[in-house]
């Protein structure tokens, strides 16, 4: 059998308790795992790689001069959550996304939370993700973030914390679906034994959410992609195929009399809902970037007239900006009159002089992030950084403090993972996907990402991270 390394000191291990005992919901799995030969498990891992390559589950890395696409490493040891933990997570996710949607509706309408002073007006009004064109626009069900990906981690104290909200064009759900399909193909005996909550109905739930986003009868839904050079193109094509809708690029659409049409071999066909995987600034060259070749001229005019729905809405980025993140607990109290179920990570806002002073004095201990950063880029992990990297970030902070926030270096929970030295603990997170509109829909689990490098806290695929299947056990 493979050697199973002990848990890391100071971290919560998902499978093993501090005393080395196996947690109850992993007990049967560990018994199965120890009965497998290294050769069998190695063969299954190799088979998974071949199948993922054959299906084309790859992603491009921006800035990679080779221009090649990479396979996201897949680990065959699942992250398992008991039903009781998932129930708490699901309620907390529903609460959080409801508050974020209420915040977005408010800041583009009456701005009650700004007038109250709970969120500083300058935090919103001068944020470059705030879109003036959205002011006064009423959306069905007051839904702005139809699809939200919420990054959740478990800290050393055993509690769950939200690390980040993704409300613009959250990605990764295709890997969640393909990971499950792969595990069921490689290890069908596990699913015969374990009652694992299904996830394969996500495309159907997504399609229902998009259709209900408009008041149109029998609406036409499309997925809009920047094209095959985009790093997540596989996911765009996958979701369109799974929902049974057209995958389109900007050049496939046109606007006439404030309505959006799709070019087809049978002639123009009106489009009612666009699940767009394109950033705001590229959507309409008449309103945003004039040099955009990815968007549709006149799209925003049709949108403002209510003749087409964009999912997610324009201007959602102001709510998932890392400088807005510290205010989410207050949003929950303000809009829902509830206490937050999921914790925020303590955050210092470097635009505040006293908090900047604290950050500068403790750079070696903190994680510093760009407020608009993504993909694990533009960040400093103080305990892992060299002196020159710390000095470089110090200069960046002094030059543009408003562009950064800082947080304590959290001990992300670990999960046993197949690596060269055997089965060893590696840090993980979880990105559940929340679908909002007429109803709120969440499939159990989400995308579980894993930092494959020993000691690394960066789980992003663009930085060498991999993925796991996330199992929620049915009660």
């Amino acid at each position: 059998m493979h050697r199973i390394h002990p848990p890391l000191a100071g971290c919560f291990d998902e499978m093993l308790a501090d005393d080395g005992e196996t947690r109850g919901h992993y007990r049967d799995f560990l018994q199965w795992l120890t009965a497998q030969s290294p050769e069998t498990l190695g063969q299954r891992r190799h088979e998974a790689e071949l199948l993922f390559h054959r299906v084309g589950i790859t992603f491009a890395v921006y800035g990679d001069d080779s221009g090649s696409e990479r396979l996201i490493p897949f680990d065959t040891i699942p992250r398992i959550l008991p039903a009781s933990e998932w129930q708490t997570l699901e309620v907390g996710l529903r609460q959080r996304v409801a508050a974020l949607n209420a915040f977005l509706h408010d800041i583009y309408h009456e701005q009650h939370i700004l007038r109250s002073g709970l969120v500083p007006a300058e935090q919103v009004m001068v944020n470059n993700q705030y879109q003036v064109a959205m002011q006064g626009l009423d959306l069905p069900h007051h839904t702005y973030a139809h699809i939200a990906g919420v990054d959740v981690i478990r800290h050393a104290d055993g509690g769950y914390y939200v690390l980040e909200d993704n409300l613009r064009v959250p990605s990764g759900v295709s890997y969640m679906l393909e990971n499950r399909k792969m595990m069921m193909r490689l290890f069908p005996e596990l699913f015969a034994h374990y009652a694992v909550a299904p996830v394969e109905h996500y495309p159907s739930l997504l399609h229902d959410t998009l259709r209900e986003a408009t008041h149109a009868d029998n609406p036409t839904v499309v997925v809009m992609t920047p094209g095959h050079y985009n790093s997540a193109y596989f996911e765009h094509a996958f979701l369109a195929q799974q929902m049974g809708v057209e995958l389109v690029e900007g050049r496939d659409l046109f606007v006439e009399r404030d309505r959006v049409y799709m070019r087809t071999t049978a002639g123009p066909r009106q489009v009612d809902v666009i699940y767009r995987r394109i950033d705001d600034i590229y959507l309409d060259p008449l309103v945003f970037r004039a040099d955009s070749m990815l968007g549709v001229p006149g799209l925003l005019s049709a949108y403002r007239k209510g003749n087409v729905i964009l999912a997610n809405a324009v201007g959602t980025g102001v709510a998932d900006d890392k400088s807005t993140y510290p205010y989410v607990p207050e949003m929950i109290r303000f809009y829902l009159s509830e206490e937050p179920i999921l914790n925020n990570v303590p955050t210092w806002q470097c635009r505040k002089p006293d908090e900047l002073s604290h950050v500068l004095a403790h750079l070696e201990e903190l994680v510093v992030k760009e407020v608009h950063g993504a993909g694990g880029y533009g960040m400093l992990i103080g305990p892992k950084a060299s002196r020159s990297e710390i000095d470089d970030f110090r200069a960046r902070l002094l030059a543009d403090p408003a562009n950064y926030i800082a947080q304590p270096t959290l001990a992300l929970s670990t999960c046993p993972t197949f690596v060269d030295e055997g089965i060893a603990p590696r840090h993980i997170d979880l990105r559940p996907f929340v679908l909002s509109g007429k109803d709120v829909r969440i499939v159990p689990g989400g995308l579980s990402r894993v930092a494959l490098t020993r000691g690394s806290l960066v789980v992003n695929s663009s930085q060498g991270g991999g993925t796991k299947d996330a199992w929620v056990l049915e009660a």
Side-chain angles (χ1 to χ4, degrees), residues 191-204:
F191 292 89
H193 179 77
Y194 266 105
V196 180
V199 298
E200 61 269 16
H201 57 301
Y202 176 86
S204 176

Side-chain angles (χ1 to χ4, degrees), residues 345-391:
V345 177
T347 302
W348 291 275
Q349 301 175 68
C350 297
R351 63 184 178 82
K352 298 181 177 180
D354 56 333
E355 298 189 19
L356 173 63
S357 297
H358 175 86
V359 171
L360 291 171
H362 296 86
L363 275 177
E364 295 85 355
E365 308 162 21
L366 302 175
V367 175
V368 184
K369 303 176 182 178
E370 291 182 349
V371 295
H372 304 307
Y377 296 104
M379 63 187 286
L380 173 82
I381 301 178
K384 307 284 186 184
S386 66
R387 172 50 55 188
S388 63
E389 289 170 331
I390 289 173
D391 290 342

